[in-house]
Amino acid sequence: MLNKLFSFNGGVKPDPNKSASTREPIARLALPPQLVIPLHQHIGGTPRPLVTVGSTVLGGQRIGAPDGNVSSAVHAPTSGRVVAIEPRPMPHASGLSSPAVVIEPDGLDTAIEREPFDWHAAAPGEIRDFLRDAGVVGLGGAVFPSHLKLNPGKSGHTDTLVINGAECEPFITCDDMLMRTEPENILRGALIMQRMLAAKQVLVALEDNKPEAATALKAAARALGNASLEVVVVPTRYPAGGAKQLIRVLTGIEVPHGSRSTDFGVQCFNVATALAVWRALEHGEALTRRIVTVAGNVERPRNFDVAIGTPISHLFAAAGLKPDTDKLIMGGPMMGIPLPNIDAPVVKATNCLLASSPTLFAPPEPELPCIRCGECARACPADLQPFELYWHSRARNFGRAQEYKLFDCIECGCCAYVCPSHIPLVDYYRYAKSEIWARERDKDAADSARERFEFRNWRADREKEEKAAKLAARNAAKPAVKPADGPAPAADVAPAAAEDPKKALIEAAMARARAQKEAVAAKNTDALTPAQKAQIDAAEERRKRASELSGSDAPTE
Amino acid sequence: MYNSPYLRQNTSVRRVMVTVLVAMLPAIAMQVWLFGIGLLLQIAIASATALACEAAMLSLRHRPVARALGDGSALVTAWLIAVCLPPLLPWWMIVIGTSFAIVIGKHLYGGLGQNPFNPAMLAYCVLIISFPALMSQWPGLQGSDAATQLDWVLGGERALDAVTGATPLDALRTGLLGNADVAAVMQSPAFGHLAGAGWEWVALAWGAGGLLLLALRIITWHIPVAFLGAMALVSGVAWLIDPSHYASPAFHLLAGGTMLGAFFIATDPVSGATTPRGKLIFAACIALIAWLIRAFGAYPDGIAFAVLLLNICVPLIDIKTQPPVFGHKVEPPDGGAR
């Protein structure tokens, strides 16, 4: 079996801080008075609501239908009444709202009758549809719809299925506790995934700082007695749990940015996703609950089994939020996002809720100039030169930043973690990326506007030509005045004389229109500063150039 | 509101700079032991000048003075200037050199992190070009009493020949120019077992400080290894071809500024190459040029000139030696994406 582990460059070793939240077993959290279930909890299309305000729902009932195949369903975690369908604040750094179904639980927790689904006999496509309708998405944080990844693609098979239990970020222990509690079902889920992907081997990987979980998984693997399944313990080093880093450690394969790991014969899922697949297929359970670590500046750090849609405040209340908390974070201390709103709900992506205090995570010290010490380059797991990215991002030299492979940055935070100058490096990359995206959007908009404009000009030209051709044909059909000289002078002389009064009329009308236009325009441009005038002139100049250009570029056929 | 990562390693520019200062202590102690306490006075003068210039420039540039002064970078520059200079130079030369380094070498280029040239080497070159005679007078090993040394530094009457002599590199150059061969020159009492008497110990102390920097991960192995390796290689080849005209690799490694340059000068991150391969090229070229200047040039040592020459090449070296990014090291199997 697997006899050699590989390594990735860089990485850091922060204090794991995992013991506090693993002392107590996972606690099932009581339902809150109101559940707020966002319709859009995954990558892809926003589901359409299937319920209306006032309707009653049962536990496990679908309340949002997937919008196309790149989407996933959303379900009610318990029975109750829909009291609102409206935008609610999301657990996102922006604090923006997004459509959500608000349910008041009736306390009976009546479940919907589950339709039996014989996945053993079902075709892979049917299983994928079933998983999409069960709302199974990646629970490691990316929430990519799982059914899309459970497809071996053109080749029809996969070499390695990686089940990711590395959980490398400090403080987060939800996967650790899940692996300790339900190792058999995680592996059973993994074996279903193996079947769907036609994978030769399954590697369940976790970091060596989780010995209890490793023991539990290994015992479960022995009990299953499947020779193609192996539990692999990898060295603890952040970000070993990043999919690309873990694939590199296990197989030596480096999946470049922009490529899919399936092109390299590897597919990777989180342990909790494997369990969700098992529960969906074996028990018909839709994804309505997940394990959330509540840690940091709380009295009782712990893992909670929570209904999706539970307000975050409800979890912090259960764990006992300490009064000197200055900030709430969803995710870990390396990549987590700041939460502006404590009443935002737990979503499928919520793996950890972290309370921060000035003593736990000190506010950053003032930024000093970069001294090019290269610590960031040594820490970067993507083998980038972070200080070069920083120089170019800071100078708004985005082209250069892209040449230095800005978009290969996974924003793991290692560079900022080691920076002696305390530069918030990742913020610079986020800024540069969003600027580049914004420019690309602008450019796309400008491109399509230009195309529309050019097409309009081309159509006008074509219509003119067609009219001229028709006219010429009509004239040619008339008896020629001077057959020897050809139709051209005839068309020139005869109609010109005939149309003279008409032409004069048209010209007079156009002159009137021009005068009127100028009068109106003058009103707007009377009291202009020289700068504004210069601007207008420049715009006129550009417009003239653009029309010249489009005139020469326009299609000629 | 600040964003991830919220965890930060306990590190700072100040900590880096203070570590470098600490790593310089063994060699400073050795020089004081061998050549007298003049060096300590030089260090004090250079430090005071550097801090004053730094503060003045920061306030002229409207930058927060206290925070930047506290980073320790000006002190590192000052100490490096002081240890390069003969310890009995008059005080005003140190002031000229240090203020040139800080004002022109550092702040006119934009301050910490922006200077293309190593400030300490700039100061050294300015002084050796402007005052070649004074810059070649090193006190003999027998030393002189502290009072005399202080008197000289502070501008007293100088009876140079009584206490100063040529450095071993100087003596070698003069000897070879006078048609003596290496072996004959090395018979002079200025030379010790491997290189210059006493000098070899200073060099070893620089090496010890450098190993400390390596162990504490302030520097990586690339620059010292490439520097010393290239120096040993070129001097070794020349020595094997003609041992009567070229000194041995051991001499070149332990004489002059080789060890100081390999561990403390070429490793300056701001003005040096940053990529692993770039560091190797950068350091090997410095050693090569330094040896060429020693063997054929007009100056006894060439580290400072070599460092400045390679500083100019850093942008090019860095661009040409970018390491491959994760996933872009080999062509993807389908030969497709990107």
Side-chain angles (χ1 to χ4, degrees), chain B residues 102-177:
Chain B
I102 299 288
V103 174
I104 295 173
K106 183 176 179 184
H107 279 284
L108 290 193
Y109 283 107
L112 179 66
Q114 308 280 350
N115 46 298
F117 297 106
N118 186 313
M121 292 299 99
L122 269 185
Y124 183 88
C125 289
V126 163
L127 292 179
I128 202 165
I129 291 170
S130 313
F131 312 100
L134 279 168
M135 284 292 284
S136 61
Q137 288 160 354
W138 280 76
L141 279 183
Q142 69 281 5
S144 49
D145 63 277
T148 315
Q149 294 202 4
L150 298 189
D151 185 38
W152 282 22
V153 173
L154 296 176
E157 193 68 26
R158 302 169 75 84
L160 286 174
D161 295 341
V163 281
T164 63
T167 64
L169 276 169
D170 241 344
L172 179 70
R173 216 178 86 79
T174 319
L176 290 175
L177 285 176

Side-chain angles (χ1 to χ4, degrees), chain A residues 9 14 170 244 254-257 259 264 327 329 333-338 361 363-364 366-373 375 378 381-385 387 391 400 404-405 408 413 416-418 420-422 424 427 430, chain B residues 1-14 16-17 67-68 71 112-114 217-220 269-276 279 314 318-319 322-329 331-334 337-338:
Chain A
N9 295 330
K244 288 184 177 182
E254 290 188 3
V255 181
H257 168 72
S259 310
F264 297 81
K327 185 180 181 92
I329 298 161
M334 297 298 287
M335 292 186 75
I337 54 170
F361 305 129
E367 187 179 332
L368 285 175
C370 168
I371 55 168
R372 312 200 333 144
C373 66
E375 273 299 315
R378 265 167 274 161
D383 303 321
L384 296 164
Q385 300 282 304
F387 60 93
W391 285 121
R400 293 285 280 165
Y404 280 89
K405 302 257 190 284
D408 284 62
Y417 176 79
V418 299
S421 293
H422 311 293
D427 284 356
R430 291 189 191 111
Chain B
M1 178 70 79
Y2 53 95
N3 294 318
S4 65
Y6 312 96
L7 267 184
R8 294 300 185 102
Q9 205 173 39
N10 182 20
T11 175
S12 64
V13 173
R14 182 196 180 87
V16 172
M17 297 297 173
R67 193 200 301 163
D71 67 25
L112 179 66
Q114 308 280 350
R217 289 175 46 99
I218 302 291
I219 59 173
T220 62
V270 174
S271 57
T274 53
T275 64
K279 284 177 179 173
V314 160
D318 275 354
I319 287 172
Q322 282 298 310
V325 171
F326 186 95
H328 301 281
K329 288 162 196 167
E331 283 299 301
D334 58 356
R338 290 156 82 85

Side-chain angles (χ1 to χ4, degrees), chain A residues 36 89-92 309-313 339 341-346:
Chain A
V36 178
M90 288 297 111
H92 186 269
T310 304
I312 283 164
S313 54
L339 287 177
N341 195 329
I342 196 172
D343 292 317
V346 164

Side-chain angles (χ1 to χ4, degrees), chain B residues 288-314:
Chain B
L288 176 68
I289 294 175
W291 180 83
L292 286 173
I293 295 175
R294 280 181 183 183
F296 308 107
Y299 289 93
D301 204 351
I303 306 274
F305 293 109
V307 167
L308 295 187
L309 279 176
L310 262 294
N311 282 162
I312 318 174
C313 306
V314 160

Side-chain angles (χ1 to χ4, degrees), chain A residues 276-553:
Chain A
V277 166
W278 168 255
R279 285 189 180 158
L281 294 178
E282 188 67 16
H283 304 297
E285 278 178 32
L287 183 64
T288 59
R289 305 184 70 86
R290 69 157 296 148
I291 314 293
V292 179
T293 306
V294 184
N297 198 40
V298 292
E299 304 285 350
R300 300 170 296 278
R302 192 167 187 177
N303 280 282
F304 294 98
D305 178 359
V306 227
I308 284 158
T310 304
I312 283 164
S313 54
H314 200 63
L315 281 87
F316 277 122
L321 194 63
K322 288 187 190 167
D324 62 330
T325 300
D326 64 340
K327 185 180 181 92
L328 303 174
I329 298 161
M330 183 169 105
M334 297 298 287
M335 292 186 75
I337 54 170
L339 287 177
N341 195 329
I342 196 172
D343 292 317
V346 164
V347 290
K348 291 175 183 177
T350 311
N351 51 0
C352 180
L353 294 170
L354 207 51
S356 159
S357 74
T359 45
L360 187 63
F361 305 129
E365 285 175 56
E367 187 179 332
L368 285 175
C370 168
I371 55 168
R372 312 200 333 144
C373 66
E375 273 299 315
C376 49
R378 265 167 274 161
C380 180
D383 303 321
L384 296 164
Q385 300 282 304
F387 60 93
E388 301 274 10
L389 294 176
Y390 156 74
W391 285 121
H392 297 311
S393 301
R394 193 188 156 108
R396 302 174 56 86
N397 199 345
F398 300 125
R400 293 285 280 165
Q402 276 178 285
E403 278 172 36
Y404 280 89
K405 302 257 190 284
L406 171 68
F407 284 96
D408 284 62
C409 168
I410 56 172
E411 300 181 17
C412 64
C414 289
C415 51
Y417 176 79
V418 299
C419 179
S421 293
H422 311 293
I423 302 171
L425 290 161
V426 188
D427 284 356
Y428 281 97
Y429 312 147
R430 291 189 191 111
Y431 160 71
K433 285 178 183 177
S434 59
E435 282 289 304
I436 292 167
W437 285 324
R439 284 175 188 201
E440 278 173 3
R441 272 197 302 277
D442 288 353
K443 190 178 166 297
D444 285 349
D447 280 350
S448 54
R450 200 190 60 236
E451 270 167 34
R452 274 202 305 277
F453 176 72
E454 284 173 355
F455 180 74
R456 186 189 145 278
N457 283 354
W458 171 76
R459 198 185 55 207
D461 286 349
R462 190 192 61 191
E463 279 166 5
K464 219 186 279 173
E465 274 171 27
E466 281 172 359
K467 256 185 205 159
K470 259 186 214 158
L471 197 66
R474 245 202 338 262
N475 287 339
K478 281 182 192 165
V481 185
K482 283 180 191 167
D485 286 340
D492 210 33
V493 178
E499 278 172 24
D500 237 348
K502 231 190 230 174
K503 228 183 205 169
L505 271 176
I506 292 170
E507 248 163 33
M510 273 171 77
R512 268 200 310 279
R514 256 202 305 278
Q516 209 170 6
K517 204 167 157 194
E518 265 161 23
V520 172
K523 266 177 212 158
N524 286 341
T525 48
D526 265 346
L528 284 185
T529 64
Q532 279 168 320
K533 270 190 187 126
Q535 224 172 344
I536 291 171
D537 289 343
E540 289 290 349
E541 182 61 34
R542 266 205 307 281
R543 196 173 297 155
K544 212 163 76 193
R545 246 199 337 268
S547 65
E548 276 166 16
L549 275 177
S550 65
S552 60
D553 285 349

